[in-house]
Amino acid sequence: MPSADFDFSELFGPDLATSKAKTTPTSDLSGKNVMIYFSAHWCPPCKAFTPKLATFYNDLKKSNPDFELVFVSSDRDEAAFDEYFAEMPWLALPYAARDRKDALSKKFKVNGIPSLVVVGADGETITTDGRSGVSEDPSGAKFPWIPPTFAGTFPATLASKSGDVASSTLDDKNLMLYFSAHWCPPCRGFTPELVKVYNELKKTRSDMELVFVSSDRDEAAFDEYFAEMPWLALPYADRDAKSALSKMFDVDGIPSLVVLGPKAADGTRPVINGSARGEADMDNLAAFPWHPKPFADLAKTVECNGSDINESPAIIVFAESADDDEQKEIVAAVKAVAEKEKEKKGENLFFFATQAGGVVDRVRQLTGIEGKKDEVIMIKLDIPDNGGYYVSDVKDITEASITAFMNSPGERVQLG
């Protein structure tokens, strides 16, 4: 467990590079906030950001010695690493420590570079969005950019059709936050379905409410869209709260639905499901507040178990061509393995696809199996592993065959 004297060698190993030929003990990081900079010489956005980060680092060092920065390289060879690191005033994970580089990328769910993570002296992650911190706070006045709390962000007053509502009246309720916008076609498709779900839930449950968090481009669009909704809304003018909530719940795309539990004595609300869009279904009302399942229908969502296919490896079974009975057996097998893996705290997500279209077709295309739509196919997609994937040659999908493929997926193929 992280502690006040966290040993950063758990992340970086015993030594860090200070130059091409010199090192320093990782123990020198003890008691400091540590920025971890994922970057590469070949990456144009990295090359543009690195000089800005160097200026920030050098200026902040003058007033705040209790931090350090460690470069974690995605360079393609050591010569490129050496050339790039020579431009930098900070430390680096030795290039040869590729296993630690991969482990750090997975731990902090780094899906693109440049990425800047800030870890506290206790080893706890403070923010994975340090890049925005450098851009928005170039003097470092707010460093280490401790994220705002929900209690400090959520407004005291919410909008409704009949007037303002005190947000404190929702303290004892499960709270859904609906991130959406009038201009967004997927949002326009999902909102009517969510209205049905909300209205049906309201008939039997007094312990829930929903608040619209708008990404509309102006207040007129917000007003038009909100007029279609039966729930509450964050006041459109409160753009700072909107931005803070989007960051707080890692909302990278819309529509997005987050479910929080009732307010605790300290003002916090537990996150029940940070990716509940796929759960908000008329056939799933009894399962509210929709604790995350370790499996999902790929046609409905790329998220399950609190993560998505961009963040975690995923076992996916494509069964669009199977008949109803075979599909039921396949889905049952996927669910059974997923539940067992959840108990073991396994890293894999599990998806089934029983209908074509949308993201199902897109994943088929990306993995080169779009020409086999008349076959049942199982793959492992590992985007966090630099876009790797694996294709099973097994056609009889059972708990045993899924488990065997998960444990030994075979030859790795690189996404193009």
Side-chain angles (χ1 to χ4, degrees):
M1 290 291 291
S3 65
D5 55 351
F6 179 70
D7 182 359
F8 280 96
S9 66
E10 293 182 22
L11 298 180
F12 304 119
D15 297 294
L16 291 165
T18 59
S19 67
K20 183 176 180 179
K22 296 181 180 180
T23 63
T24 189
T26 304
S27 57
D28 287 351
L29 299 178
S30 181
K32 296 182 179 181
N33 294 310
V34 176
M35 291 190 279
I36 307 173
Y37 181 41
F38 298 87
S39 186
H41 189 268
W42 53 260
C43 163
C46 300
K47 293 287 284 182
F49 181 65
T50 297
K52 298 177 183 177
L53 182 58
T55 298
F56 173 87
Y57 174 91
N58 288 328
D59 288 348
L60 189 59
K61 272 291 182 183
K62 296 173 184 176
S63 60
N64 181 1
D66 294 328
F67 84 97
E68 192 47 81
L69 191 150
V70 177
F71 167 45
V72 177
S73 170
S74 292
D75 288 300
R76 292 167 179 153
D77 55 61
E78 194 158 8
F81 164 80
D82 289 340
E83 180 181 350
Y84 194 29
F85 184 39
E87 305 171 9
M88 301 173 176
W90 42 68
L91 308 178
L93 182 76
Y95 185 79
R98 295 290 85 190
D99 288 348
R100 287 194 179 275
K101 178 265 177 191
D102 292 341
L104 288 165
S105 295
K106 284 191 175 183
K107 175 179 176 63
F108 297 110
K109 298 181 180 179
V110 177
N111 298 316
I113 54 175
S115 179
L116 186 64
V117 175
V118 183
V119 176
D122 59 358
E124 293 280 10
T125 301
I126 294 175
T127 179
T128 58
D129 192 24
R131 187 179 173 189
S132 293
V134 170
S135 299
E136 297 168 7
D137 178 33
S139 68
K142 298 179 181 178
F143 181 80
W145 308 307
I146 297 171
T149 64
F150 181 81
T153 300
F154 201 59
T157 303
L158 299 167
S160 78
K161 303 298 191 305
S162 56
D164 292 343
V165 174
S167 61
S168 59
T169 61
L170 311 181
D171 287 355
D172 61 345
K173 300 180 186 295
N174 293 298
L175 180 63
M176 289 184 278
L177 300 179
Y178 180 41
F179 298 84
S180 186
H182 188 269
W183 53 262
C184 163
C187 300
R188 298 285 295 170
F190 179 62
T191 297
E193 299 306 311
L194 185 58
V195 168
K196 294 176 186 176
V197 169
Y198 174 87
N199 287 336
E200 197 63 28
L201 282 171
K202 274 292 186 181
K203 292 178 182 178
T204 57
R205 302 197 62 139
S206 61
D207 64 341
M208 54 77 65
E209 191 47 80
L210 190 151
V211 175
F212 168 42
V213 182
S214 171
S215 292
D216 288 301
R217 292 168 178 151
D218 56 61
E219 195 156 9
F222 164 81
D223 290 340
E224 180 181 349
Y225 196 26
F226 185 40
E228 304 171 10
M229 302 174 177
W231 43 67
L232 307 176
L234 193 77
Y236 182 79
D238 202 343
R239 296 290 82 193
D240 287 346
K242 180 268 171 191
S243 296
L245 289 169
S246 294
K247 282 188 178 182
M248 191 178 298
F249 299 110
D250 297 321
V251 177
D252 295 322
I254 54 174
S256 181
L257 186 67
V258 175
V259 183
L260 308 176
K263 190 174 181 179
D266 63 359
T268 61
R269 282 182 180 265
V271 178
I272 293 176
N273 193 330
S275 307
R277 177 186 168 190
E279 303 292 333
D281 188 282
M282 289 294 286
D283 295 329
N284 200 30
L285 298 175
F288 183 82
W290 303 316
H291 291 274
K293 296 187 180 75
F295 55 81
D297 182 344
L298 189 62
K300 293 183 177 180
T301 181
V302 296
E303 303 168 335
C304 68
N305 208 28
S307 187
D308 66 45
I309 58 175
N310 293 305
E311 301 174 335
S312 302
I315 304 295
I316 308 171
V317 180
F318 295 87
E320 307 98 302
S321 63
D323 61 34
D324 289 349
D325 289 340
E326 186 178 6
Q327 284 187 349
K328 288 178 181 178
E329 291 177 359
I330 289 170
V331 170
V334 171
K335 290 181 177 180
V337 175
E339 291 288 3
K340 290 177 182 177
E341 285 301 301
K342 183 178 181 180
E343 291 179 6
K344 298 177 185 177
K345 298 183 179 180
E347 66 173 354
N348 292 293
L349 308 180
F350 294 84
F351 294 89
F352 50 84
T354 55
Q355 56 184 329
V359 70
V360 174
D361 291 351
R362 178 60 176 155
V363 174
R364 274 189 174 273
Q365 180 185 24
L366 287 172
T367 55
I369 60 172
E370 71 271 27
K372 301 179 180 180
K373 292 185 178 179
D374 59 341
E375 300 179 27
V376 173
I377 294 181
M378 178 165 53
I379 72 167
K380 177 179 179 180
L381 180 62
D382 197 351
I383 292 176
D385 181 25
N386 295 316
Y389 71 95
Y390 309 77
V391 181
S392 172
D393 58 5
V394 173
K395 304 304 178 187
D396 183 19
I397 306 299
T398 64
E399 288 187 49
S401 65
I402 295 171
T403 301
F405 175 64
M406 176 184 66
N407 293 331
S408 183
E411 181 180 358
R412 181 187 184 280
V413 186
Q414 180 65 45
L415 289 173

